[in-house]
Amino acid sequence: MKIKNSRLETLKMLISSKELCSQEEVLQALEKEGFKLTQATLSRDMKQLKVAKAASMNGKYVYVLPHETMYKRISKPRSASEMLQSSGFKSINFSGNIGVIKTRPGYASSIAYNIDDSDIPEIIGTIAGDDTIFIVIKEGVNYSDVVDGLSMVIPNIKDN
């Protein structure tokens, strides 16, 4: 399962950082990252991630992740393995008993799932979009205790 999760994360990074127009291009990009798979496996992975095709700025139809029809692509993308070195976490801010976590596009739901699955006592629950997570915090809880609890799920949360 660890290999599949790693492959799916790599696939998300490739789709969000490159203009890939065909499954053959995606397979080649995955192979450069160390994942040799069949077209059938790729199709299942893309279906699971709800990957679609959308027109890019230059008119080509490229693969995109859900809710990201016009992905901002960088001209010199890092390799997917380099991008996977970080958890996708960008920042956290608090207001009252709500925390707002910002992530890279496509990461919020998986991070929110991990938060909910970790049963952090200070957190009641989460709601996730594409790049934002709302966390509901129990009354009277210190924000530093929330960050300490989240550090099990988001290792680099204390670096920010």
Side-chain angles (χ1 to χ4, degrees), residues 8 10-11 16 36 39 50 60 71 77 85 87 118 129 137 155:
L8 290 174
T10 301
L11 180 57
S16 65
K36 180 90 171 124
Q39 184 276 328
K50 296 179 174 55
K60 292 193 301 187
Y71 239 93
Q85 305 266 327
S87 66
S118 296
I137 303 163

Side-chain angles (χ1 to χ4, degrees), residues 18-123:
K18 297 182 180 200
E19 289 195 348
L20 299 168
C21 300
S22 69
Q23 285 194 354
E24 185 59 39
E25 288 178 10
V26 177
L27 285 169
Q28 289 171 0
L30 282 167
E31 191 167 348
K32 285 181 185 173
E33 297 295 335
F35 295 97
K36 180 90 171 124
L37 58 146
T38 65
Q39 184 276 328
T41 301
L42 176 62
S43 289
R44 284 190 295 274
D45 287 353
M46 292 173 87
K47 183 176 182 179
Q48 181 178 342
L49 294 174
K50 296 179 174 55
V51 172
K53 272 197 166 179
S56 68
M57 298 296 226
N58 63 12
K60 292 193 301 187
Y61 281 84
V62 297
Y63 289 111
V64 294
L65 294 169
H67 312 296
E68 293 297 322
T69 54
M70 294 308 249
Y71 239 93
K72 296 177 186 75
R73 306 206 187 266
I74 50 178
S75 57
K76 199 86 160 95
R78 298 181 295 165
S79 73
S81 56
E82 286 176 309
M83 290 186 269
L84 288 171
Q85 305 266 327
S86 69
S87 66
F89 168 81
K90 289 172 97 177
S91 67
I92 185 167
N93 289 291
F94 298 97
S95 178
N97 70 327
I98 295 177
V100 177
I101 297 174
K102 291 299 215 171
T103 71
R104 292 197 324 241
Y107 276 78
S109 62
S110 61
I111 293 173
Y113 173 83
N114 290 339
I115 292 169
D116 289 337
D117 197 46
S118 296
D119 293 322
I120 300 166
E122 296 84 5
I123 297 175

